[in-house]
């Protein structure tokens, strides 16, 4: 089956499964439905998604139970990470990647349209206007 990853993310689950997901809406409800549908995979489940950004992320997020891989396909972004109040900036251009470790708050700023692939351990993910501390 052929599909557009930007429109239909994939869940990688237990038993080496790969499930094409319903159309991605980028809403809290979408993520809640996703989390409920694959809760049995626990910390081993991964969400694979392709996003294009034209503006800075409006919030910070954290994945407390697993790491997230970020791979920039086109454009340029600055990935900001905050770990216990210490902030790091990583400038990523096409072909470069970074890892958001478990429990590290992160956000991104973009100066041009940027497309990135995310492989995320999403269980327990939180979003806030600013990282705590």
């Amino acid at each position: 089956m052929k599909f557009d990853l930007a429109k239909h993310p994939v869940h990688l689950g237990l038993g080496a499964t790969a499930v094409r997901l319903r159309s991605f809406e980028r809403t809290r409800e979408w993520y809640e439905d996703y989390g409920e549908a694959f809760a049995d995979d626990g910390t081993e489940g991964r969400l694979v998604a392709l996003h294009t950004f034209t503006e800075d992320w409006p919030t910070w997020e954290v994945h407390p139970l697993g790491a997230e891989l970020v791979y920039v396909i086109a454009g340029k972004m600055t990935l900001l990470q905050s770990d216990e109040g210490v902030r790091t900036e990583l400038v990523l251009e096409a072909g470069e990647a970074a890892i958001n470790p478990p429990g590290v708050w992160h956000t991104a700023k973009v100066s041009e349209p940027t497309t990135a692939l995310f492989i995320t351990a999403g269980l327990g993910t939180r979003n806030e206007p600013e990282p705590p501390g």
Side-chain angles (χ1 to χ4, degrees), residues 49 72 85 90 104 107:
V72 175
L90 302 169
V104 172
T107 191

Side-chain angles (χ1 to χ4, degrees), residues 22-99:
R22 69 178 170 91
S23 182
F24 188 54
E25 299 165 6
R26 294 188 193 190
T27 63
R28 183 175 297 269
E29 180 184 55
W30 189 95
Y31 283 107
E32 288 172 356
D33 290 349
Y34 165 73
E36 288 175 20
F38 296 99
D40 289 345
D41 287 348
T43 58
E44 298 306 312
R46 297 290 183 269
L47 177 63
V48 180
L50 186 67
H51 300 291
T52 298
F53 302 97
T54 57
E55 298 178 358
D56 297 347
W57 295 6
T59 61
W60 288 74
E61 69 178 14
V62 64
H63 312 291
L65 302 175
E68 175 181 57
L69 174 69
V70 179
Y71 176 72
V72 175
I73 294 171
K76 179 179 175 180
M77 67 190 271
T78 301
L79 181 65
L80 290 85
Q81 297 175 328
S82 181
D83 188 10
E84 297 184 12
V86 177
R87 290 197 180 179
T88 305
E89 292 187 10
L90 302 169
V91 177
L92 301 175
E93 298 187 34
E96 296 180 324
I99 294 173

